[in-house]
């Protein structure tokens, strides 16, 4: 890739953090937005200075539409273009249909769907100014029904599939692509924290997950990052409206 500008919703943890690192190593301009995290963002920015690219952090709550707008406005005003957007920010609280509360449901939808939709609004707005770009959404096998304790999360991720397809269908004429990556079980910080609250260690989780995953193990970051970078790049310029499964053969249908 030539030097390009990418916006990432999320970026201080998990897969998005590793994508930030990879893109900055490649020499690109990165603007990532996330919630405040006790100075971890500043520490991360300092670590990124050793690479050829340029990175900026914007305090962002994607459930707040103004924050979504400001994230993209900063990137466009700073670098004059936006070539790609990786939508990673999301939450995964556990609740079944019978345990579901309005408050928790709304929180999940505000982050996972509303945040993705309004970030996409501004991504498309600026991508039209520079003759195209790529949007990559983070998906989950829960999108197809989900486990019993993920009702609102499953519905939110299913709706993001529709959002991705909507953009691919209606904005392809502007050379804007949209794709959905279904990420299988991955031991991210958020997943490990959730499982710890349920009394599971990382080793317990990996053993438990291996019983469900046909290929016998959870994802590692190296399984995921190349696919995200490919979809953001012009190497995938005719790939749009796709669902890429990185699940080790595990999905819920």
């Amino acid at each position: 890739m030539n030097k390009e500008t990418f916006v990432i919703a999320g970026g201080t943890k998990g897969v998005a953090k590793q994508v930030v690192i990879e893109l900055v190593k490649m020499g690109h301009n990165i603007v990532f937005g996330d919630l405040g995290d006790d100075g971890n963002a500043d520490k991360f920015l300092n670590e990124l200075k050793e690479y050829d690219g340029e990175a900026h952090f914007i305090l962002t709550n994607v459930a707040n539409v103004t924050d979504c707008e400001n994230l993209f406005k900063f990137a466009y005003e700073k670098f004059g273009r936006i070539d790609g957007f990786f939508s990673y920010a999301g939450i995964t609280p556990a609740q079944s249909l019978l345990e579901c509360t309005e408050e928790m449901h709304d929180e999940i939808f505000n982050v996972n769907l509303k945040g993705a939709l309004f970030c996409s609004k501004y991504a498309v707005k600026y991508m039209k100014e520079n003759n195209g770009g790529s949007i990559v959404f983070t998906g989950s096998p829960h999108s197809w029904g989900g486990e019993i304790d993920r009702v609102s999360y499953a519905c939110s991720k299913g709706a993001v599939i529709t959002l991705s397809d909507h953009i691919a269908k209606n904005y392809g004429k502007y050379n804007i692509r949209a794709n959905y990556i279904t990420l299988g079980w991955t031991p991210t910080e958020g997943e490990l924290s959730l499982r710890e609250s349920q009394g599971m260690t990382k080793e317990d989780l990996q053993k438990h997950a291996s019983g469900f995953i046909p290929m016998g193990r959870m994802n590692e970051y190296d399984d995921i990052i190349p696919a995200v970078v490919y979809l953001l790049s012009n190497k995938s310029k005719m790939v749009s409206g796709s669902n890429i499964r990185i699940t080790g053969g595990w999905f819920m249908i």
Side-chain angles (χ1 to χ4, degrees):
M1 285 189 279
N2 296 321
K3 189 165 189 174
E4 294 179 319
T5 298
F6 299 100
V7 176
I8 298 176
T12 61
K13 294 180 180 179
V15 171
K17 181 176 181 179
Q18 301 306 312
V19 171
V20 170
I21 293 170
E22 184 64 23
L23 292 173
V24 173
K25 281 183 177 179
M26 296 171 71
H28 297 301
N29 304 316
I30 308 299
V31 177
F32 62 102
D34 212 334
L35 299 173
D37 194 18
D38 299 326
N40 284 345
D42 289 336
K43 180 181 177 182
F44 184 34
L45 284 171
N46 285 330
E47 293 170 357
L48 293 171
K49 288 179 179 178
E50 66 178 285
Y51 304 121
D52 292 336
E54 183 176 342
H56 296 270
F57 171 76
I58 303 297
L59 186 65
T60 304
N61 176 2
V62 297
N64 183 308
V65 174
T66 300
D67 280 10
C68 298
E69 180 179 13
N70 289 340
L71 176 65
F72 286 86
K73 182 178 179 182
F74 175 89
Y76 190 77
E77 291 181 350
K78 179 70 178 178
F79 297 111
R81 61 185 297 115
I82 294 174
D83 298 286
F85 167 50
F86 180 38
S87 178
Y88 182 77
I91 56 174
T92 61
Q95 60 171 4
S96 71
L97 178 62
L98 296 180
E99 298 166 336
C100 181
T101 66
E102 180 180 8
E103 180 181 22
M104 183 59 71
H105 174 83
D106 287 348
E107 182 179 358
I108 292 169
F109 264 70
N110 282 341
V111 175
N112 294 0
L113 179 58
K114 177 183 172 183
L117 189 150
F118 280 96
C119 280
S120 296
K121 170 184 176 178
Y122 296 108
V124 168
K125 171 185 175 180
Y126 291 116
M127 286 175 183
K128 285 179 66 178
E129 298 294 324
N130 52 259
N131 194 33
S134 175
I135 299 174
V136 179
F137 293 99
T138 306
S140 166
H142 288 279
S143 302
W144 292 271
E147 296 285 7
I148 193 170
D149 63 347
R150 291 292 191 283
V151 60
S152 296
Y153 175 73
C155 291
S156 71
K157 286 300 186 179
V160 174
I161 295 176
T162 302
L163 174 61
S164 180
D165 289 347
H166 174 85
I167 293 170
K169 176 183 177 182
N170 293 290
Y171 296 92
K173 61 188 175 183
Y174 302 108
N175 204 30
I176 295 171
R177 313 187 309 279
N179 293 285
Y180 184 93
I181 293 188
T182 300
L183 299 184
W185 229 333
T186 308
T188 62
E189 294 97 323
E191 178 70 15
L192 293 175
S193 177
L194 173 63
R195 298 302 173 174
E196 184 179 348
S197 72
Q198 297 172 337
M200 297 179 72
T201 66
K202 181 177 181 179
E203 291 72 25
D204 292 335
L205 174 61
Q206 289 174 325
K207 183 177 180 180
H208 175 70
S210 68
F212 292 89
I213 301 170
M215 295 185 73
R217 67 171 178 85
M218 300 178 76
N219 285 339
E220 299 295 341
Y221 290 134
D222 287 348
D223 299 317
I224 299 167
I225 307 310
V228 177
V229 172
Y230 168 74
L231 289 174
L232 288 172
S233 78
N234 280 327
K235 292 180 180 179
S236 64
K237 60 186 177 182
M238 284 299 289
V239 180
S240 192
S242 296
N243 171 22
I244 311 298
R245 287 180 173 145
I246 306 176
T247 64
W250 175 66
F251 53 93
M252 301 176 190
I253 293 181

